[in-house]
Amino acid sequence: MARTRGKDSLGPAKQQRGRRRRVVHVFTEGKVTEPDYIRIVRDQGVYLDPSMAVDVHIANSSAPGSQRKPIKLVEAAVRLMREQAREAKRSGLKKEFWPQVWCLFDRDEHESIDTALKQAREGDVRVAFSHPCFEVWRLLHHKPVTGTFGGVCDDVAVRLPFAKDVANLKSVLPEQIERGSFVEAKKRALKMNATHGDHVLMVHRDPYTDVFTFVEDGLGIASY
């Protein structure tokens, strides 16, 4: 399988010969927060299938801010997915081992979110979406989340137990993710998400996050 040149490759978390392998390409809106989180989770994680090595690439590690809007992430991700699918078919790779392409982005005040989500679905690109921002997922590792944030990410950030260190809030540190916290964070997220009816469009679900799907289906991790 072709490797992505010039990108940030995290490689398999625990290298072993003879293991089956899946490649996962990730486009992140944030240049620091999400990549930091992914590295920590992979270091601490317990894998759903220990026989499967997951080779993770941050596909847009060097991209400027102008290319980190959700619609731009999805457009680049769809192009990459097409390339990876063609290569997988030529290689005769079983579909279960085909590369995955993911986008991690937030609602914030971005335009064209609905369009980005639609294009991702049509292009076989998976999305982990948070409203108003990724910090909702970080907060759920520490406490339940109720009410609405009115789309204001700062109102989420101030609830983080380590929010006093505002200067370094974008960086995710290992001590900010307690051992065994994933299962509880997922339960809290599901309960929080359930407060929105199915008729409510994703773009209007505040608060909301499904980052846990990326952890399980993308990174192949059951807990950390």
Side-chain angles (χ1 to χ4, degrees):
M1 179 59 59
R3 297 176 66 86
T4 302
R5 297 180 181 176
K7 307 302 181 186
D8 183 6
S9 175
L10 305 185
K14 299 168 184 176
Q15 192 77 260
Q16 293 181 15
R17 289 186 177 181
R19 294 177 72 187
R20 295 176 299 158
R21 181 180 301 273
R22 185 179 71 232
V23 177
V24 178
H25 302 279
V26 188
F27 289 80
T28 65
E29 180 182 342
K31 196 167 187 175
V32 176
T33 307
E34 292 93 331
D36 277 358
Y37 169 77
I38 292 169
R39 290 186 182 93
I40 293 167
V41 166
R42 282 168 54 75
D43 285 344
Q44 298 182 1
V46 175
Y47 284 79
L48 288 160
D49 181 357
S51 69
M52 174 74 77
V54 181
D55 194 355
V56 180
H57 299 260
I58 304 300
N60 65 328
S61 59
S62 60
S66 61
Q67 297 301 309
R68 290 180 176 272
K69 305 298 182 185
I71 193 67
K72 294 293 186 180
L73 294 181
V74 170
E75 288 171 352
V78 169
R79 288 193 296 269
L80 179 58
M81 188 66 238
R82 288 198 196 105
E83 295 171 4
Q84 294 295 306
R86 283 196 296 266
E87 180 64 26
K89 289 177 182 177
R90 282 197 295 265
S91 302
L93 199 62
K94 291 182 179 179
K95 190 106 183 228
E96 62 186 296
F97 301 126
W98 277 26
Q100 292 184 7
V101 180
W102 284 78
C103 290
L104 273 63
F105 59 78
D106 305 335
R107 174 64 184 92
D108 285 329
E109 297 180 357
H110 297 304
E111 299 177 352
S112 305
I113 292 290
D114 284 336
T115 300
L117 292 170
K118 181 175 182 291
Q119 289 184 4
R121 286 193 300 271
E122 294 173 348
D124 292 326
V125 169
R126 297 286 299 274
V127 173
F129 176 71
S130 299
H131 191 321
C133 58
F134 186 81
E135 277 61 41
V136 170
W137 176 240
R138 295 175 72 182
L139 182 58
L140 287 164
H141 285 70
H142 303 277
K143 61 181 73 173
V145 174
T146 57
T148 180
F149 295 103
V152 181
C153 187
D154 285 351
D155 288 351
V156 185
V158 296
R159 294 196 197 180
L160 291 166
F162 40 86
K164 57 185 178 182
D165 192 10
V166 177
N168 295 316
L169 202 56
K170 284 189 177 295
S171 297
V172 181
L173 305 176
E175 57 267 27
Q176 295 171 356
I177 301 176
E178 298 177 0
R179 292 279 183 174
S181 60
F182 172 73
V183 173
E184 193 60 35
K186 179 184 173 181
K187 287 180 181 176
R188 291 167 178 162
L190 289 170
K191 184 175 181 180
M192 178 188 74
N193 294 347
T195 62
H196 307 292
D198 293 339
H199 65 285
V200 179
L201 296 175
M202 188 81 73
V203 71
H204 297 310
R205 298 179 186 181
D206 178 10
Y208 178 90
T209 186
D210 54 19
V211 173
F212 54 87
T213 62
F214 167 68
V215 174
E216 294 176 329
D217 300 342
L219 300 182
I221 289 174
S223 63
Y224 54 74

PDB file of all heavy atoms in Angstrom, residues 2-3 13-14 17 27 31 34 44 65 71-72 86 89 111 114 121 135 142 148 160 169 174 178 184 205 208 210 224:
ATOM      1  N   ALA A   2       0.588   2.169  -0.887  1.00  0.00           N
ATOM      2  CA  ALA A   2       1.403   3.376  -0.988  1.00  0.00           C
ATOM      3  C   ALA A   2       1.311   4.186   0.287  1.00  0.00           C
ATOM      4  O   ALA A   2       0.264   4.288   0.899  1.00  0.00           O
ATOM      5  CB  ALA A   2       0.918   4.215  -2.174  1.00  0.00           C
ATOM      6  N   ARG A   3       2.423   4.783   0.682  1.00  0.00           N
ATOM      7  CA  ARG A   3       2.451   5.634   1.864  1.00  0.00           C
ATOM      8  C   ARG A   3       2.229   7.072   1.446  1.00  0.00           C
ATOM      9  O   ARG A   3       2.507   7.475   0.332  1.00  0.00           O
ATOM     10  CB  ARG A   3       3.793   5.505   2.598  1.00  0.00           C
ATOM     11  CG  ARG A   3       4.040   4.122   3.126  1.00  0.00           C
ATOM     12  CD  ARG A   3       5.418   4.043   3.752  1.00  0.00           C
ATOM     13  NE  ARG A   3       5.517   4.885   4.938  1.00  0.00           N
ATOM     14  CZ  ARG A   3       5.148   4.476   6.149  1.00  0.00           C
ATOM     15  NH1 ARG A   3       4.628   3.295   6.323  1.00  0.00           N
ATOM     16  NH2 ARG A   3       5.290   5.268   7.184  1.00  0.00           N
ATOM     17  N   ALA A  13       1.130   1.812  16.744  1.00  0.00           N
ATOM     18  CA  ALA A  13       1.484   2.146  18.120  1.00  0.00           C
ATOM     19  C   ALA A  13       2.441   1.122  18.703  1.00  0.00           C
ATOM     20  O   ALA A  13       3.355   1.452  19.449  1.00  0.00           O
ATOM     21  CB  ALA A  13       0.231   2.237  18.973  1.00  0.00           C
ATOM     22  N   LYS A  14       2.245  -0.151  18.373  1.00  0.00           N
ATOM     23  CA  LYS A  14       3.100  -1.212  18.884  1.00  0.00           C
ATOM     24  C   LYS A  14       3.468  -2.118  17.720  1.00  0.00           C
ATOM     25  O   LYS A  14       2.671  -2.924  17.269  1.00  0.00           O
ATOM     26  CB  LYS A  14       2.385  -1.995  19.984  1.00  0.00           C
ATOM     27  CG  LYS A  14       2.023  -1.118  21.179  1.00  0.00           C
ATOM     28  CD  LYS A  14       1.081  -1.818  22.122  1.00  0.00           C
ATOM     29  CE  LYS A  14       0.651  -0.890  23.247  1.00  0.00           C
ATOM     30  NZ  LYS A  14      -0.347  -1.510  24.134  1.00  0.00           N
ATOM     31  N   ARG A  17       5.844  -7.979  13.990  1.00  0.00           N
ATOM     32  CA  ARG A  17       5.859  -8.643  12.702  1.00  0.00           C
ATOM     33  C   ARG A  17       4.667  -9.578  12.567  1.00  0.00           C
ATOM     34  O   ARG A  17       4.221 -10.188  13.522  1.00  0.00           O
ATOM     35  CB  ARG A  17       7.155  -9.452  12.542  1.00  0.00           C
ATOM     36  CG  ARG A  17       8.395  -8.568  12.365  1.00  0.00           C
ATOM     37  CD  ARG A  17       9.596  -9.419  12.066  1.00  0.00           C
ATOM     38  NE  ARG A  17      10.770  -8.592  11.832  1.00  0.00           N
ATOM     39  CZ  ARG A  17      11.965  -9.084  11.518  1.00  0.00           C
ATOM     40  NH1 ARG A  17      12.137 -10.400  11.433  1.00  0.00           N
ATOM     41  NH2 ARG A  17      12.983  -8.279  11.303  1.00  0.00           N
ATOM     42  N   PHE A  27      -7.414  13.997   8.562  1.00  0.00           N
ATOM     43  CA  PHE A  27      -7.333  15.435   8.328  1.00  0.00           C
ATOM     44  C   PHE A  27      -7.931  16.126   9.555  1.00  0.00           C
ATOM     45  O   PHE A  27      -9.091  15.891   9.889  1.00  0.00           O
ATOM     46  CB  PHE A  27      -8.127  15.837   7.080  1.00  0.00           C
ATOM     47  CG  PHE A  27      -7.524  15.392   5.789  1.00  0.00           C
ATOM     48  CD1 PHE A  27      -7.688  14.086   5.340  1.00  0.00           C
ATOM     49  CD2 PHE A  27      -6.781  16.272   5.011  1.00  0.00           C
ATOM     50  CE1 PHE A  27      -7.132  13.662   4.143  1.00  0.00           C
ATOM     51  CE2 PHE A  27      -6.221  15.862   3.811  1.00  0.00           C
ATOM     52  CZ  PHE A  27      -6.397  14.549   3.370  1.00  0.00           C
ATOM     53  N   LYS A  31      -4.244  22.197  14.374  1.00  0.00           N
ATOM     54  CA  LYS A  31      -2.873  21.788  14.054  1.00  0.00           C
ATOM     55  C   LYS A  31      -2.196  21.147  15.258  1.00  0.00           C
ATOM     56  O   LYS A  31      -1.223  20.402  15.112  1.00  0.00           O
ATOM     57  CB  LYS A  31      -2.065  23.005  13.600  1.00  0.00           C
ATOM     58  CG  LYS A  31      -0.769  22.649  12.884  1.00  0.00           C
ATOM     59  CD  LYS A  31      -0.165  23.845  12.182  1.00  0.00           C
ATOM     60  CE  LYS A  31       1.036  23.426  11.346  1.00  0.00           C
ATOM     61  NZ  LYS A  31       1.580  24.551  10.549  1.00  0.00           N
ATOM     62  N   GLU A  34      -5.932  18.087  18.143  1.00  0.00           N
ATOM     63  CA  GLU A  34      -6.320  16.741  17.725  1.00  0.00           C
ATOM     64  C   GLU A  34      -5.118  15.817  17.520  1.00  0.00           C
ATOM     65  O   GLU A  34      -5.151  14.665  17.973  1.00  0.00           O
ATOM     66  CB  GLU A  34      -7.186  16.803  16.465  1.00  0.00           C
ATOM     67  CG  GLU A  34      -8.558  17.433  16.687  1.00  0.00           C
ATOM     68  CD  GLU A  34      -8.562  18.922  16.389  1.00  0.00           C
ATOM     69  OE1 GLU A  34      -7.501  19.573  16.555  1.00  0.00           O
ATOM     70  OE2 GLU A  34      -9.625  19.434  15.995  1.00  0.00           O
ATOM     71  N   GLN A  44      -1.761   5.054  25.055  1.00  0.00           N
ATOM     72  CA  GLN A  44      -2.443   4.512  26.233  1.00  0.00           C
ATOM     73  C   GLN A  44      -3.491   3.461  25.893  1.00  0.00           C
ATOM     74  O   GLN A  44      -3.972   2.757  26.780  1.00  0.00           O
ATOM     75  CB  GLN A  44      -3.126   5.653  27.012  1.00  0.00           C
ATOM     76  CG  GLN A  44      -2.183   6.699  27.548  1.00  0.00           C
ATOM     77  CD  GLN A  44      -2.900   7.770  28.346  1.00  0.00           C
ATOM     78  OE1 GLN A  44      -4.116   7.730  28.524  1.00  0.00           O
ATOM     79  NE2 GLN A  44      -2.154   8.733  28.852  1.00  0.00           N
ATOM     80  N   GLY A  65      -3.656  27.518   7.911  1.00  0.00           N
ATOM     81  CA  GLY A  65      -4.992  27.706   8.457  1.00  0.00           C
ATOM     82  C   GLY A  65      -6.070  27.826   7.397  1.00  0.00           C
ATOM     83  O   GLY A  65      -7.193  27.364   7.591  1.00  0.00           O
ATOM     84  N   ILE A  71     -14.860  22.448   4.932  1.00  0.00           N
ATOM     85  CA  ILE A  71     -15.094  22.138   3.527  1.00  0.00           C
ATOM     86  C   ILE A  71     -13.783  21.834   2.807  1.00  0.00           C
ATOM     87  O   ILE A  71     -13.728  20.944   1.936  1.00  0.00           O
ATOM     88  CB  ILE A  71     -15.877  23.278   2.825  1.00  0.00           C
ATOM     89  CG1 ILE A  71     -16.391  22.823   1.459  1.00  0.00           C
ATOM     90  CG2 ILE A  71     -15.037  24.532   2.725  1.00  0.00           C
ATOM     91  CD1 ILE A  71     -17.447  21.761   1.520  1.00  0.00           C
ATOM     92  N   LYS A  72     -12.722  22.538   3.159  1.00  0.00           N
ATOM     93  CA  LYS A  72     -11.412  22.289   2.551  1.00  0.00           C
ATOM     94  C   LYS A  72     -10.855  20.940   2.983  1.00  0.00           C
ATOM     95  O   LYS A  72     -10.252  20.210   2.187  1.00  0.00           O
ATOM     96  CB  LYS A  72     -10.437  23.411   2.926  1.00  0.00           C
ATOM     97  CG  LYS A  72     -10.779  24.771   2.360  1.00  0.00           C
ATOM     98  CD  LYS A  72     -10.628  24.788   0.852  1.00  0.00           C
ATOM     99  CE  LYS A  72     -10.835  26.180   0.288  1.00  0.00           C
ATOM    100  NZ  LYS A  72     -10.696  26.202  -1.192  1.00  0.00           N
ATOM    101  N   ARG A  86      -8.441   3.378  -5.384  1.00  0.00           N
ATOM    102  CA  ARG A  86      -7.901   2.862  -6.652  1.00  0.00           C
ATOM    103  C   ARG A  86      -6.691   1.973  -6.401  1.00  0.00           C
ATOM    104  O   ARG A  86      -6.565   0.890  -6.975  1.00  0.00           O
ATOM    105  CB  ARG A  86      -7.516   4.025  -7.582  1.00  0.00           C
ATOM    106  CG  ARG A  86      -8.686   4.697  -8.268  1.00  0.00           C
ATOM    107  CD  ARG A  86      -8.220   5.551  -9.441  1.00  0.00           C
ATOM    108  NE  ARG A  86      -7.374   6.640  -8.993  1.00  0.00           N
ATOM    109  CZ  ARG A  86      -7.814   7.871  -8.723  1.00  0.00           C
ATOM    110  NH1 ARG A  86      -9.118   8.127  -8.816  1.00  0.00           N
ATOM    111  NH2 ARG A  86      -6.979   8.822  -8.346  1.00  0.00           N
ATOM    112  N   LYS A  89      -7.732  -1.392  -4.857  1.00  0.00           N
ATOM    113  CA  LYS A  89      -8.311  -2.296  -5.860  1.00  0.00           C
ATOM    114  C   LYS A  89      -7.225  -2.909  -6.726  1.00  0.00           C
ATOM    115  O   LYS A  89      -7.240  -4.117  -7.006  1.00  0.00           O
ATOM    116  CB  LYS A  89      -9.314  -1.531  -6.729  1.00  0.00           C
ATOM    117  CG  LYS A  89     -10.601  -1.164  -6.022  1.00  0.00           C
ATOM    118  CD  LYS A  89     -11.499  -0.355  -6.941  1.00  0.00           C
ATOM    119  CE  LYS A  89     -12.788   0.061  -6.229  1.00  0.00           C
ATOM    120  NZ  LYS A  89     -13.655   0.909  -7.095  1.00  0.00           N
ATOM    121  N   GLU A 111     -18.843  28.091   7.912  1.00  0.00           N
ATOM    122  CA  GLU A 111     -19.905  27.995   6.920  1.00  0.00           C
ATOM    123  C   GLU A 111     -19.789  26.653   6.196  1.00  0.00           C
ATOM    124  O   GLU A 111     -18.770  25.980   6.265  1.00  0.00           O
ATOM    125  CB  GLU A 111     -19.804  29.152   5.905  1.00  0.00           C
ATOM    126  CG  GLU A 111     -19.946  30.536   6.537  1.00  0.00           C
ATOM    127  CD  GLU A 111     -19.772  31.651   5.516  1.00  0.00           C
ATOM    128  OE1 GLU A 111     -19.392  31.330   4.362  1.00  0.00           O
ATOM    129  OE2 GLU A 111     -19.998  32.817   5.875  1.00  0.00           O
ATOM    130  N   ASP A 114     -23.010  21.688   6.502  1.00  0.00           N
ATOM    131  CA  ASP A 114     -23.899  20.686   5.910  1.00  0.00           C
ATOM    132  C   ASP A 114     -23.345  20.162   4.589  1.00  0.00           C
ATOM    133  O   ASP A 114     -23.403  18.963   4.311  1.00  0.00           O
ATOM    134  CB  ASP A 114     -25.299  21.276   5.686  1.00  0.00           C
ATOM    135  CG  ASP A 114     -26.091  21.389   6.981  1.00  0.00           C
ATOM    136  OD1 ASP A 114     -25.792  20.630   7.921  1.00  0.00           O
ATOM    137  OD2 ASP A 114     -27.004  22.232   7.046  1.00  0.00           O
ATOM    138  N   ARG A 121     -19.931  12.046   3.188  1.00  0.00           N
ATOM    139  CA  ARG A 121     -20.732  10.821   3.059  1.00  0.00           C
ATOM    140  C   ARG A 121     -20.639  10.251   1.651  1.00  0.00           C
ATOM    141  O   ARG A 121     -20.447   9.045   1.461  1.00  0.00           O
ATOM    142  CB  ARG A 121     -22.202  11.098   3.408  1.00  0.00           C
ATOM    143  CG  ARG A 121     -22.488  11.285   4.883  1.00  0.00           C
ATOM    144  CD  ARG A 121     -23.987  11.241   5.153  1.00  0.00           C
ATOM    145  NE  ARG A 121     -24.721  12.269   4.434  1.00  0.00           N
ATOM    146  CZ  ARG A 121     -24.952  13.494   4.896  1.00  0.00           C
ATOM    147  NH1 ARG A 121     -24.482  13.852   6.079  1.00  0.00           N
ATOM    148  NH2 ARG A 121     -25.640  14.364   4.187  1.00  0.00           N
ATOM    149  N   GLU A 135     -13.288  20.603  22.376  1.00  0.00           N
ATOM    150  CA  GLU A 135     -13.174  20.659  23.834  1.00  0.00           C
ATOM    151  C   GLU A 135     -14.368  20.024  24.544  1.00  0.00           C
ATOM    152  O   GLU A 135     -14.274  19.643  25.715  1.00  0.00           O
ATOM    153  CB  GLU A 135     -12.980  22.111  24.294  1.00  0.00           C
ATOM    154  CG  GLU A 135     -11.549  22.599  24.214  1.00  0.00           C
ATOM    155  CD  GLU A 135     -10.987  22.576  22.814  1.00  0.00           C
ATOM    156  OE1 GLU A 135     -11.712  22.948  21.863  1.00  0.00           O
ATOM    157  OE2 GLU A 135      -9.812  22.172  22.646  1.00  0.00           O
ATOM    158  N   HIS A 142     -14.126  14.295  32.030  1.00  0.00           N
ATOM    159  CA  HIS A 142     -14.060  14.722  33.428  1.00  0.00           C
ATOM    160  C   HIS A 142     -15.429  14.882  34.094  1.00  0.00           C
ATOM    161  O   HIS A 142     -15.543  14.728  35.313  1.00  0.00           O
ATOM    162  CB  HIS A 142     -13.295  16.043  33.526  1.00  0.00           C
ATOM    163  CG  HIS A 142     -11.909  15.964  32.960  1.00  0.00           C
ATOM    164  ND1 HIS A 142     -10.842  15.479  33.685  1.00  0.00           N
ATOM    165  CD2 HIS A 142     -11.433  16.277  31.731  1.00  0.00           C
ATOM    166  CE1 HIS A 142      -9.756  15.509  32.927  1.00  0.00           C
ATOM    167  NE2 HIS A 142     -10.090  15.996  31.747  1.00  0.00           N
ATOM    168  N   THR A 148     -26.674  24.164  26.887  1.00  0.00           N
ATOM    169  CA  THR A 148     -26.147  24.528  25.572  1.00  0.00           C
ATOM    170  C   THR A 148     -25.053  25.567  25.737  1.00  0.00           C
ATOM    171  O   THR A 148     -25.020  26.304  26.730  1.00  0.00           O
ATOM    172  CB  THR A 148     -27.248  25.083  24.662  1.00  0.00           C
ATOM    173  OG1 THR A 148     -26.688  25.432  23.395  1.00  0.00           O
ATOM    174  CG2 THR A 148     -27.894  26.306  25.280  1.00  0.00           C
ATOM    175  N   LEU A 160     -13.155  23.161  31.662  1.00  0.00           N
ATOM    176  CA  LEU A 160     -12.120  22.142  31.799  1.00  0.00           C
ATOM    177  C   LEU A 160     -11.390  22.327  33.118  1.00  0.00           C
ATOM    178  O   LEU A 160     -11.077  23.467  33.505  1.00  0.00           O
ATOM    179  CB  LEU A 160     -11.131  22.233  30.632  1.00  0.00           C
ATOM    180  CG  LEU A 160     -11.673  21.826  29.258  1.00  0.00           C
ATOM    181  CD1 LEU A 160     -10.731  22.269  28.145  1.00  0.00           C
ATOM    182  CD2 LEU A 160     -11.903  20.319  29.198  1.00  0.00           C
ATOM    183  N   LEU A 169      -3.800  25.625  26.529  1.00  0.00           N
ATOM    184  CA  LEU A 169      -5.034  24.858  26.419  1.00  0.00           C
ATOM    185  C   LEU A 169      -5.124  24.078  25.117  1.00  0.00           C
ATOM    186  O   LEU A 169      -5.735  23.007  25.069  1.00  0.00           O
ATOM    187  CB  LEU A 169      -6.238  25.784  26.556  1.00  0.00           C
ATOM    188  CG  LEU A 169      -7.551  25.130  26.986  1.00  0.00           C
ATOM    189  CD1 LEU A 169      -7.381  24.376  28.298  1.00  0.00           C
ATOM    190  CD2 LEU A 169      -8.646  26.176  27.112  1.00  0.00           C
ATOM    191  N   PRO A 174      -0.786  14.262  28.528  1.00  0.00           N
ATOM    192  CA  PRO A 174      -1.199  12.935  29.005  1.00  0.00           C
ATOM    193  C   PRO A 174      -1.938  12.974  30.332  1.00  0.00           C
ATOM    194  O   PRO A 174      -2.905  12.228  30.529  1.00  0.00           O
ATOM    195  CB  PRO A 174       0.136  12.187  29.130  1.00  0.00           C
ATOM    196  CG  PRO A 174       1.027  12.849  28.132  1.00  0.00           C
ATOM    197  CD  PRO A 174       0.641  14.303  28.162  1.00  0.00           C
ATOM    198  N   GLU A 178      -7.325  10.939  31.955  1.00  0.00           N
ATOM    199  CA  GLU A 178      -7.163   9.941  33.002  1.00  0.00           C
ATOM    200  C   GLU A 178      -7.284   8.529  32.445  1.00  0.00           C
ATOM    201  O   GLU A 178      -8.059   8.271  31.512  1.00  0.00           O
ATOM    202  CB  GLU A 178      -8.220  10.157  34.092  1.00  0.00           C
ATOM    203  CG  GLU A 178      -8.104  11.505  34.791  1.00  0.00           C
ATOM    204  CD  GLU A 178      -9.211  11.716  35.804  1.00  0.00           C
ATOM    205  OE1 GLU A 178     -10.054  10.807  35.949  1.00  0.00           O
ATOM    206  OE2 GLU A 178      -9.224  12.788  36.439  1.00  0.00           O
ATOM    207  N   GLU A 184     -16.274   6.031  30.143  1.00  0.00           N
ATOM    208  CA  GLU A 184     -17.186   6.961  30.803  1.00  0.00           C
ATOM    209  C   GLU A 184     -17.466   8.166  29.909  1.00  0.00           C
ATOM    210  O   GLU A 184     -18.615   8.653  29.842  1.00  0.00           O
ATOM    211  CB  GLU A 184     -16.599   7.432  32.131  1.00  0.00           C
ATOM    212  CG  GLU A 184     -17.588   8.148  33.039  1.00  0.00           C
ATOM    213  CD  GLU A 184     -18.783   7.288  33.430  1.00  0.00           C
ATOM    214  OE1 GLU A 184     -18.609   6.058  33.605  1.00  0.00           O
ATOM    215  OE2 GLU A 184     -19.896   7.833  33.522  1.00  0.00           O
ATOM    216  N   ARG A 205     -26.994  20.747  16.558  1.00  0.00           N
ATOM    217  CA  ARG A 205     -26.928  19.990  17.815  1.00  0.00           C
ATOM    218  C   ARG A 205     -25.824  20.564  18.705  1.00  0.00           C
ATOM    219  O   ARG A 205     -24.648  20.356  18.468  1.00  0.00           O
ATOM    220  CB  ARG A 205     -26.679  18.505  17.526  1.00  0.00           C
ATOM    221  CG  ARG A 205     -27.802  17.880  16.729  1.00  0.00           C
ATOM    222  CD  ARG A 205     -27.548  16.419  16.419  1.00  0.00           C
ATOM    223  NE  ARG A 205     -28.578  15.875  15.539  1.00  0.00           N
ATOM    224  CZ  ARG A 205     -28.627  14.624  15.116  1.00  0.00           C
ATOM    225  NH1 ARG A 205     -27.701  13.758  15.518  1.00  0.00           N
ATOM    226  NH2 ARG A 205     -29.599  14.212  14.304  1.00  0.00           N
ATOM    227  N   TYR A 208     -22.628  18.611  21.101  1.00  0.00           N
ATOM    228  CA  TYR A 208     -22.613  17.316  20.431  1.00  0.00           C
ATOM    229  C   TYR A 208     -21.159  16.920  20.146  1.00  0.00           C
ATOM    230  O   TYR A 208     -20.316  17.776  19.877  1.00  0.00           O
ATOM    231  CB  TYR A 208     -23.368  17.402  19.101  1.00  0.00           C
ATOM    232  CG  TYR A 208     -23.370  16.101  18.313  1.00  0.00           C
ATOM    233  CD1 TYR A 208     -24.377  15.157  18.491  1.00  0.00           C
ATOM    234  CD2 TYR A 208     -22.356  15.821  17.405  1.00  0.00           C
ATOM    235  CE1 TYR A 208     -24.387  13.963  17.782  1.00  0.00           C
ATOM    236  CE2 TYR A 208     -22.353  14.631  16.690  1.00  0.00           C
ATOM    237  CZ  TYR A 208     -23.358  13.713  16.882  1.00  0.00           C
ATOM    238  OH  TYR A 208     -23.357  12.524  16.188  1.00  0.00           O
ATOM    239  N   ASP A 210     -19.099  13.148  18.407  1.00  0.00           N
ATOM    240  CA  ASP A 210     -19.030  11.711  18.149  1.00  0.00           C
ATOM    241  C   ASP A 210     -17.583  11.282  17.907  1.00  0.00           C
ATOM    242  O   ASP A 210     -17.321  10.355  17.141  1.00  0.00           O
ATOM    243  CB  ASP A 210     -19.934  11.309  16.982  1.00  0.00           C
ATOM    244  CG  ASP A 210     -19.664  12.098  15.704  1.00  0.00           C
ATOM    245  OD1 ASP A 210     -18.571  12.692  15.591  1.00  0.00           O
ATOM    246  OD2 ASP A 210     -20.537  12.109  14.814  1.00  0.00           O
ATOM    247  N   TYR A 224      -8.994   3.432  26.931  1.00  0.00           N
ATOM    248  CA  TYR A 224      -7.695   3.997  27.326  1.00  0.00           C
ATOM    249  C   TYR A 224      -7.831   4.613  28.702  1.00  0.00           C
ATOM    250  O   TYR A 224      -8.920   4.816  29.190  1.00  0.00           O
ATOM    251  CB  TYR A 224      -7.163   5.006  26.311  1.00  0.00           C
ATOM    252  CG  TYR A 224      -8.084   6.157  25.952  1.00  0.00           C
ATOM    253  CD1 TYR A 224      -8.317   7.212  26.823  1.00  0.00           C
ATOM    254  CD2 TYR A 224      -8.712   6.189  24.710  1.00  0.00           C
ATOM    255  CE1 TYR A 224      -9.139   8.266  26.473  1.00  0.00           C
ATOM    256  CE2 TYR A 224      -9.537   7.239  24.350  1.00  0.00           C
ATOM    257  CZ  TYR A 224      -9.755   8.288  25.219  1.00  0.00           C
ATOM    258  OH  TYR A 224     -10.574   9.329  24.870  1.00  0.00           O
TER     259      TYR A 224
END
